Amino acid sequence: MGANVEESVGGLSRKDFLAKLGVSYREARETRFWLRLLRDTDYISKEQSESMLEDLEEIIRIITAIQKTIKNKD
């Protein structure tokens, strides 16, 4: 996610920025899937997963807010 966000900052246009940021958003959702799978298979504890999932949800909210802000500027 972080590398994709960094790449989006160097986007050649607003459209390119949004496209790359969209990749970050999808990667965040995929990470959420993997964290839930790890939790549900008891590979990590519920407490560990809750902490990471809370952080991840905040990241998803931030990325979503950035996307909305940029789209509303059109």
Side-chain angles (χ1 to χ4, degrees):
M1 286 176 286
N4 290 317
V5 169
E6 185 65 27
E7 187 178 353
S8 73
V9 172
L12 300 174
S13 64
R14 183 182 292 180
K15 185 177 178 181
D16 189 36
F17 173 79
L18 281 171
K20 289 176 179 10
L21 198 62
V23 172
S24 298
Y25 174 79
R26 290 186 300 277
E27 291 291 331
R29 291 186 57 95
E30 181 180 350
T31 300
R32 182 169 50 189
F33 165 81
W34 289 115
L35 286 173
R36 288 175 177 166
L37 181 66
L38 291 171
R39 177 198 62 203
D40 293 347
T41 58
D42 295 324
Y43 192 81
I44 61 175
S45 70
K46 183 178 179 183
E47 293 78 22
Q48 288 172 314
S49 69
E50 285 176 358
S51 174
M52 288 185 276
L53 285 166
E54 286 174 13
D55 292 343
L56 184 58
E57 292 302 326
E58 182 64 21
I59 290 169
I60 290 171
R61 283 192 293 275
I62 290 168
I63 292 172
T64 300
I66 293 168
Q67 289 173 315
K68 286 181 181 178
T69 299
I70 296 299
K71 287 178 183 177
N72 288 337
K73 288 186 176 189
D74 288 340

